[in-house]
Each structure stands twice: as structure tokens, then as C-alpha cells.
Amino acid sequence: MSSLPRILVTGATGRLGQLLVPRLLARGAGVRALTRHPARANGLRAQGAETAVGDFDDGDSLRRALDGVSHLFLLSPITPTLAGQQIAVIEAAAAAGVERIVKLSGSHWTIEPPGRSLSGDAHREIEAVLRRSGIAHRVLRPNAWMQVMLARVAAELAAGDALHAPPGDPKVAFIDARDIADVAVEALLEQPVAGAASAAPWVLTGGCAVGYKEIARIASRLTGRRIVATPLSAQAQQQRQAANAPSHYIARVHAEFAALIAAGEAEPTTGTVAEVLGRPPRTVEAFLEETVASRSPA
Ligand SMILES: NC(=O)c1ccc[n+]([C@@H]2O[C@H](COP(=O)([O-])OP(=O)(O)OC[C@H]3O[C@@H](n4cnc5c(N)ncnc54)[C@H](OP(=O)(O)O)[C@@H]3O)[C@@H](O)[C@H]2O)c1
């Protein structure tokens, strides 16, 4: 690429987008952050990003946001309208002449094989539209994020010595969201590769799979206390998920994830993060050192 891209980042104010925007700015790319709530993007503006006020459900706002943009990072939250919203953005990007799209998709095991995850099937449908669009693109399929799945660990350890574990203590190749953001930067700035390799999704995982017994061992070392992984029954896990879900739809999506994880689907690892970044993925141990150790007694 001769000149640096101008990139519209959707989901810019979310968990991943907030990690991605400063990384792209640091590489000299022009960044326009899409948001429905401009105040949420104050921090990103202060770092040098432009803001576009827009909504996936408002075609005119998408056209304005995509005006003069060469690249698109496509991310939206899991909702019943996930597929329709992202397809609308792809169509608007095609009309605007966008040259390259990087799509943050679902975890590989939610997408392949089809028919076992509502959100995975929606991401699969979007990926198919992207392939048919003819626009150069890269799909990222990250495994379960540490910042989401392990966020509760520090809170549970602040409350006591029990760490609630899913039934069967399945292992998961958790990935640090910062590694996903690092890979997304490379995917956005990469030179297009000719042939089938350019279309292959990047399946992103941590370097090894870890269960909650192992997490409890790490937490014991970090806190100097005896932390015990306490298995939840399948019913108790479902009740917890339903209580924390904002809608029936999300409760169902989370129940599907839990069943697939319990079956070991999130355990396999790939070498993609290391291949793309030239260094190993961040580890669960390092993540817990940051989040748990700071709460341990003096
Ligand atoms: N968590 C995991 O373990 C995991 C694993 C694999 C894949 N994923 C994928 O990651 C994605 C979620 O990423 P995330 O956690 O970073 O999201 P998030 O924190 O929930 O952020 C959602 C973002 O979407 C924007 N948004 C929502 N509705 C919008 C609309 N109608 N128009 C324009 N923007 C809208 C929000 O912007 P404003 O509110 O500022 O408008 C916000 O920036 C999902 O697609 C999920 O499938 C997650």
C-alpha cells in the first residue's frame, strides 16, 4: 500500500474497538470512529480519531460515515439483528468504494459446523455476503476473550476463596482481547494476498487451553490463599446466565456457548496469533497477574 489507509472503525467505543483505535493511530492510519453517542467517543477523539455519528439502522448515516474511507473494521454486538446490520454496512461500503474490510466474526466453533449457534450462524451469513461482495477482506474468528470470560475471577476472589467453575471443568484456549486488537491492526494494514489464502479466516486463540482448576492454582499462587474451583451444576450455570442476560435471546446464545464449551469445542489452539505478530499470545497467567494480584491482601 503506497499511502496509509483511512479506516472507519465500527464498534469503536466497545471493548475491542477501544483497544484497536489507539493501535491504528500509533501506526499512522487515519481513524474515523463510528458511534451513536458522540460523548462515548470523547476519549478516542482526544487520542486523534475523527468521530462519525451513525447507526447501523440508518443508511444515510452509514453513507456519511463511509465517505472518503478506504478501509472498514466491521464489528457489532450480538443481537437478533446482527446479520442484517452488518450486511447493511457491507453494502454501504461497497457503494462507497471501500477497498478492504476486516470483519470481527464469532469464535470458529460457533460458526463451524452451522446450525448450533444463533450468533455463529449470523456471523456465517455475514461472512458469505463478504465473500460475494468482491471486496478484499480478512475475517477474524477469535476464541473466548479473557476480558469477558475471566472478568468475574477478580470479583469472585475479592468476595472469597471459591472460584465458580463450569460443569466438567472444560478447558478453553482463552485469548487476550489485546492480542485480537494487535492482529486486527495487521489485518487492516496487510498487503492483499492473491489466491485462496487471502480468503481464509484467521482463527485466533491463546497459546494453550486452561481449565478453572488451573486458574484456581494460578490464583492461589497470586493471592497467597487457597483458592478452590467449585463446580456449578449445569442447572445452576443456566440460572446464573439467565439472571445476567439482558434478554431471552442473549440467554439462549449464552446457553449455546456454554454447551459447546462444555463439549470441549473451545479447547483447540492455533498458531495464528504468533504467526501474524511474530511473538506468542499473551497468557492467562499474565492476565490474572494484572487483574487478580492487585486485589490480594497486603
Ligand atoms: N466476547 C467474546 O468472547 C467474543 C468471542 C468471539 C467473538 N466475539 C464478537 O465480538 C463482538 C462484540 O464485540 P465487543 O464486545 O467489543 O462489543 P461491545 O463492547 O458490546 O460494543 C458494541 C459496539 O457496537 C456499537 N453499536 C451497537 N449498536 C450499534 C448500532 N445500532 N449502530 C452503530 N453502532 C452500534 C457500540 O457503539 P455505541 O454504543 O457507541 O453507538 C459499541 O461500540 C460480537 O460480534 C461477538 O460475536 C466476542
Side-chain angles (χ1 to χ4, degrees):
M1 193 182 310
S2 51
S3 60
L4 282 161
R6 284 173 65 79
I7 304 170
L8 179 69
V9 176
T10 63
T13 59
R15 273 178 288 246
L16 188 67
Q18 290 190 55
L19 299 172
L20 176 61
V21 170
R23 283 165 164 77
L24 288 171
L25 291 168
R27 292 283 287 269
V31 177
R32 189 178 289 166
L34 185 79
T35 180
R36 293 162 298 173
H37 312 288
R40 288 194 69 193
N42 284 347
L44 301 177
R45 254 195 309 277
Q47 295 172 60
E50 236 184 276
T51 309
V53 179
D55 190 312
F56 299 136
D57 296 323
D58 174 353
D60 286 339
S61 72
L62 291 179
R63 273 187 288 282
R64 284 193 297 274
L66 285 158
D67 186 39
V69 157
S70 59
H71 289 46
L72 168 69
F73 179 74
L74 182 57
L75 177 154
S76 68
I78 295 176
T79 68
T81 54
L82 170 63
Q85 289 183 331
Q86 290 203 9
I87 289 167
V89 182
I90 293 168
E91 287 169 352
V98 165
E99 296 160 24
R100 180 168 187 76
I101 298 177
V102 172
K103 169 177 162 47
L104 194 284
S105 200
S107 299
H108 184 66
W109 42 271
T110 66
I111 298 172
E112 309 284 357
R116 53 188 199 170
S117 158
L118 287 170
S119 60
D121 286 351
H123 280 303
R124 184 186 180 85
E125 186 184 342
I126 300 156
E127 290 184 14
V129 170
L130 198 46
R131 281 194 299 276
R132 288 198 298 272
S133 73
I135 302 173
H137 64 275
R138 178 69 69 189
V139 166
L140 309 179
R141 293 182 180 173
N143 211 349
W145 307 1
M146 293 178 200
Q147 282 79 357
V148 173
M149 296 278 289
L150 302 182
R152 67 177 173 84
V153 171
E156 285 189 9
L157 297 183
D161 294 339
L163 178 63
H164 290 110
D169 194 27
K171 289 192 168 59
V172 177
F174 297 107
I175 183 166
D176 191 310
R178 291 169 292 189
D179 284 341
I180 306 172
D182 288 338
V183 169
V185 170
E186 301 308 325
L188 282 159
L189 302 184
E190 77 174 325
Q191 298 291 344
V193 185
S198 67
W202 283 356
V203 178
L204 310 175
T205 72
C208 65
V210 179
Y212 281 80
K213 283 187 189 143
E214 177 61 19
I215 291 172
R217 268 193 293 276
I218 296 169
S220 298
R221 184 179 66 70
L222 292 173
T223 59
R225 289 148 47 196
R226 186 168 173 275
I227 307 299
V228 179
T230 312
L232 287 169
S233 67
Q235 194 189 12
Q237 190 188 33
Q238 265 175 19
Q239 282 167 352
R240 258 182 168 226
Q241 282 172 341
N244 292 326
S247 67
H248 288 309
Y249 176 83
I250 293 294
R252 196 171 149 201
V253 166
H254 287 174
E256 289 170 343
F257 289 167
L260 292 168
I261 288 172
E265 296 280 347
E267 186 171 341
T269 57
T270 68
T272 310
V273 170
E275 281 158 27
V276 174
L277 300 179
R279 60 154 178 85
R282 292 172 171 89
T283 63
V284 166
E285 188 149 8
F287 176 79
L288 292 175
E289 267 173 30
E290 289 173 42
T291 56
V292 173
S294 60
R295 289 200 184 205
S296 63

